[in-house]
Amino acid sequence: ETGVTQTPRHLVMGMTNKKSLKCEQHLGHNAMYWYKQSAKKPLELMFVYSLEERVENNSVPSRFSPECPNSSHLFLHLHTLQPEDSALYLCASSQSPRGPNTGELFFGEGSRLTVL
Amino acid sequence: GENVEQHPSTLSVQEGDSAVIKCTYSDSASNYFPWYKQELGKGPQLIIDIRSNVGEKKDQRIAVTLNKTAKHFSLHITETQPEDSAVYFCAATSTYNQGGKLIFGQGTELSVKP
């Protein structure tokens, strides 16, 4: 496996369900990100983890709960979602989230979430 | 905070023609401007970037120009091919002030017709 891998690729859930999205990076990076991609809108940064510590939380509703157990894995736990949360959720990693040498973001292929 | 506007939202060209996508940014402190290409069913992938100390950068058929005074930057694709069809995103950040947090434009869906 190389790059950034996301599972599942597709997920359909009801508003009362609890599910999780998983991301794994095989690039040796120390920063990981969750982005939300909705139709006709810019990519929205949700969370940033650097060295397993959350460094950014962009006013995301508490029904989204991230977890970063180590520098290679990132989860997004979902509970009591709303239909407007349906979107493509992209995970990304980079060598460093800060400093003058901004690292290139490497994205996974995304998890397409549909909330019924 | 930074705001990035991208135009056009859709662009259709004939194979072999050139395509130009334009972005404007609001934060004069921004100094790093990458472009990402997203093919259908895939995540965005960096194709070219430019830093504020240069005005133009080329890589084969793609080039990016930056006008710091006007706060806009553009992606130029020459001799377009069907495989260039994708959604293109510009982004901007200040690597010193914002910790490298990228702000993305809305995206441009490029269609290259054979």
Side-chain angles (χ1 to χ4, degrees):
Chain A
E1 290 268 19
T2 57
V4 180
T5 304
Q6 290 188 242
T7 55
R9 294 294 309 279
H10 300 272
L11 178 62
V12 179
M13 59 188 289
M15 289 191 286
T16 58
N17 291 159
K18 287 184 179 181
K19 297 286 184 183
S20 295
L21 306 180
K22 178 183 175 182
C23 177
E24 184 174 359
Q25 60 98 358
H26 310 272
L27 301 168
H29 290 161
N30 57 22
M32 297 188 76
Y33 310 72
W34 279 116
Y35 280 86
K36 177 182 179 182
Q37 186 175 29
S38 304
K40 307 298 184 186
K41 293 177 71 174
L43 289 164
E44 299 173 55
L45 179 63
M46 300 175 73
F47 302 104
V48 180
Y49 276 83
S50 174
L51 297 172
E52 303 144 44
E53 176 185 347
R54 190 190 307 180
V55 297
E56 185 91 28
N57 179 350
N58 275 3
S59 302
V60 179
S62 59
R63 56 186 184 268
F64 295 91
S65 175
E67 179 190 0
C68 187
N70 55 62
S71 60
S72 298
H73 293 85
L74 185 65
F75 294 89
L76 188 62
H77 303 299
L78 317 168
H79 62 98
T80 58
L81 295 191
Q82 305 298 311
E84 59 265 30
D85 296 322
S86 298
L88 181 69
Y89 289 85
L90 289 162
C91 173
S93 70
S94 72
Q95 184 56 38
S96 172
R98 297 184 181 275
N101 297 311
T102 298
E104 174 185 349
L105 285 178
F106 289 80
F107 285 90
E109 295 187 330
S111 293
R112 173 70 62 186
L113 173 66
T114 302
V115 182
L116 301 176
Chain B
E2 176 64 279
N3 183 52
V4 177
E5 296 287 332
Q6 183 173 348
H7 299 280
S9 57
T10 60
L11 179 59
S12 181
V13 300
Q14 288 295 130
E15 182 177 358
D17 288 350
S18 295
V20 180
I21 302 170
K22 298 181 179 181
C23 289
T24 60
Y25 62 98
S26 60
D27 189 350
S28 57
S30 289
N31 60 356
Y32 175 65
F33 308 92
W35 286 87
Y36 283 80
K37 174 184 181 182
Q38 186 175 22
E39 297 177 343
L40 194 62
K42 297 190 175 182
Q45 183 176 12
L46 179 72
I47 55 171
I48 194 168
D49 57 16
I50 191 168
R51 297 185 187 270
S52 59
N53 57 346
V54 298
E56 183 176 3
K57 184 176 178 180
K58 283 186 177 181
D59 183 5
Q60 299 182 345
R61 294 186 299 108
I62 60 173
V64 58
T65 59
L66 171 65
N67 184 327
K68 287 188 294 182
T69 303
K71 287 191 281 193
H72 65 70
F73 56 112
S74 301
L75 177 71
H76 304 254
I77 306 174
T78 58
E79 301 172 22
T80 53
Q81 301 167 3
E83 52 265 36
D84 294 329
S85 296
V87 180
Y88 291 81
F89 293 94
C90 63
T93 189
S94 166
T95 56
Y96 294 95
N97 296 339
Q98 299 181 27
K101 176 181 171 182
L102 282 174
I103 304 300
F104 285 88
Q106 298 93 325
T108 296
E109 184 173 0
L110 174 64
S111 176
V112 180
K113 300 185 184 306

